[in-house]
Structures are given as C-alpha cells and as structure tokens.
Amino acid sequence: MTKLSVNINKIATLRNARGGNRPNVLQTALDCERFGAQGITVHPRPDERHIRYQDVLDLKPAVTTEFNIEGNPTPDFIQLVLSVKPEQVTLVPDAPDAITSNAGWDTIKHKDFLVDIIAQFKEQGIRTSIFVDPDNKQVEGAALTGTDRIELYTEAYASQYLADREKAVAPYAEAAKTALQCNLGLNAGHDLDLDNLRFLKERLPNLQEVSIGHALICDALYFGLENTIQLYLRQLNY
C-alpha cells in the first residue's frame, strides 16, 4: 500500500493572499485526514509566504496521521523540527527564493553535512527522508548518510510523461531498485497528478508514500476536496 500525504501549502497561499484565516489551514488538514489522506505535508520556507512556522506548531497536536515537514535544514528549520517532532522530516536543498523545489541533494558532495543533520533528527526519533534525483549514485550516497528513506524528485518524470512514459519512468524504476538494495524506504513527489500517478506506482512497487499538493488542490477546485482525495487514493491502490 502506498500512502497519500497531502501537501497543504497551497491552502496557506490562498489564506495569505487575503489575510485573516480563510481558508483555515488547520481545519483543512483535519478534513484531508477525514476524507482519507494518510498524512499531511507542509513545507515552511524562511519568508513564510505560505505555511508559517506557527502553522506547523498548531498542526502537530491536531494531526492524527503522519505529519511530514519538508524543508532546507537551516538552523531555524532544524530548531522547528526538533521542537515539533513530526513523524517524518524530508530534507530538501531549495534556495530561500525558490518558487518550488527544483533539484535533489548531491548526497556525495554534502554527505558530511547530511550525516550530522540526520543524526540530530534520528536521535529524537524522527524518521528522515532525503529529496534526491533519480540517479543511482545519489541513491547510494543517500544510504551512507544514515537516512531512513529517500524521496524521488519526480518533476522530470511528470514533464516527460505524455511524450514517452516508458522513457520517463525508466530512471525512477532503476533508482527504486537501488533504494531497495540499499535498504532505503522510498517516497516520491513533485508534479504528480491523476494522469501520471498510477503508472509511476505500477513501475515502483516498493513506493511507500507520495506527497502531493499543487495538482491535488487544483483538482479539488473542480471535483471537491473529499472526492479528489479519493480519486488519488484509487490511483495508488487500485
């Protein structure tokens, strides 16, 4: 079974655009769980342009499924995660001004840094995941950091899917095999949607979790949030 973790950043973006508390980020997270989501993901950034640090603090005692915090492990981010103690932290090497995540870690170049950060989180019982590109050397490098899982960055797969889905998924299938050989858990995320999700799942049988936000929230505008979550779950567990 592959779990669906709903990234609620876009809900916070909509709230922040107007001010006030509508839509209510906390209530949306609880509704996502009630509608079948098996996890809630947030990605707070230093400028707090969508999810705010206070949102993270508010969500932790309320979320009853898996709580996953994504982000670049800056000192403030590390302090936040250690204080909240989510079930999972996903380390993403995004620049402060990045619109969205756009690359995985160079796990070889940054090995010592990642080893130190991951050790801090694991000491507190927090499962760790590293955002990586579908490259076997990077997956093998991730295994040497002590991380529990990797999250495959799926933007390249999504962008190439319509042109040639077999070619698009091939490096991901290889990376998934390598992760299994390295005893790493496997997550995936970025630009996954109702069109490309099932095929990815079929080719990555050891896929444990996907984190989906932008496409899911866009679909919810047409199908409604509850129905949309069920549609995504059907793509994962058909």
Side-chain angles (χ1 to χ4, degrees), residues 8-224:
I8 59 172
N9 275 25
K10 284 297 182 294
I11 300 299
T13 301
L14 184 59
R15 175 200 62 189
N16 296 352
R18 185 68 180 264
N21 197 32
R22 188 175 184 182
N24 185 303
V25 169
L26 177 57
Q27 186 59 53
T28 300
L30 298 180
D31 288 338
C32 287
E33 292 182 317
R34 183 163 58 89
F35 297 152
Q38 294 128 333
I40 299 296
T41 292
V42 293
H43 189 146
R45 286 185 164 86
D47 61 6
E48 298 191 316
R49 64 180 181 270
H50 33 62
I51 287 292
R52 300 167 180 156
Y53 276 34
Q54 186 60 51
D55 292 325
V56 179
L57 297 173
D58 293 341
L59 284 162
K60 173 54 182 174
V63 171
T64 58
T65 59
E66 178 191 278
F67 192 30
N68 173 45
I69 305 177
E70 298 181 343
N72 192 333
T74 61
D76 286 347
F77 179 86
I78 293 169
Q79 183 178 359
L80 176 70
V81 173
L82 291 175
S83 65
V84 171
K85 294 184 175 60
E87 283 71 27
Q88 177 173 270
V89 58
T90 301
L91 307 182
V92 184
D94 53 355
D97 59 349
I99 295 175
T100 186
S101 304
N102 54 23
W105 285 96
D106 184 333
T107 60
I108 300 168
K109 179 179 179 181
H110 298 290
K111 176 189 172 183
D112 291 343
F113 173 74
L114 290 168
V115 166
D116 177 63
I117 299 300
I118 288 167
Q120 293 182 56
F121 292 138
K122 293 185 74 173
E123 186 178 355
Q124 296 300 315
I126 304 168
R127 187 173 72 230
T128 58
S129 180
I130 300 178
F131 202 57
V132 298
D133 296 313
D135 178 289
N136 285 340
K137 291 187 180 300
Q138 296 301 329
V139 176
E140 291 168 354
L144 298 177
T145 67
T147 190
D148 300 296
R149 296 187 184 186
I150 58 169
E151 178 176 332
L152 291 177
Y153 171 45
T154 50
E155 189 274 336
Y157 164 75
S159 64
Q160 299 169 21
Y161 176 80
L162 292 178
D164 188 337
R165 65 180 188 174
E166 292 289 350
K167 182 179 180 181
V169 82
Y172 291 88
E174 286 300 314
K177 290 178 184 177
T178 301
L180 189 61
Q181 293 166 357
C182 293
N183 296 314
L184 289 172
L186 185 67
N187 299 340
H190 205 89
D191 287 350
L192 297 175
D193 60 27
L194 289 173
D195 293 324
N196 59 42
L197 183 57
R198 178 177 291 198
F199 186 70
L200 183 76
K201 163 62 178 174
E202 289 172 348
R203 297 309 175 91
L204 276 60
N206 54 321
L207 183 61
Q208 291 170 275
E209 177 183 304
V210 293
S211 174
I212 304 179
H214 184 77
L216 189 150
I217 300 303
C218 289
D219 288 332
L221 294 175
Y222 290 90
F223 305 133

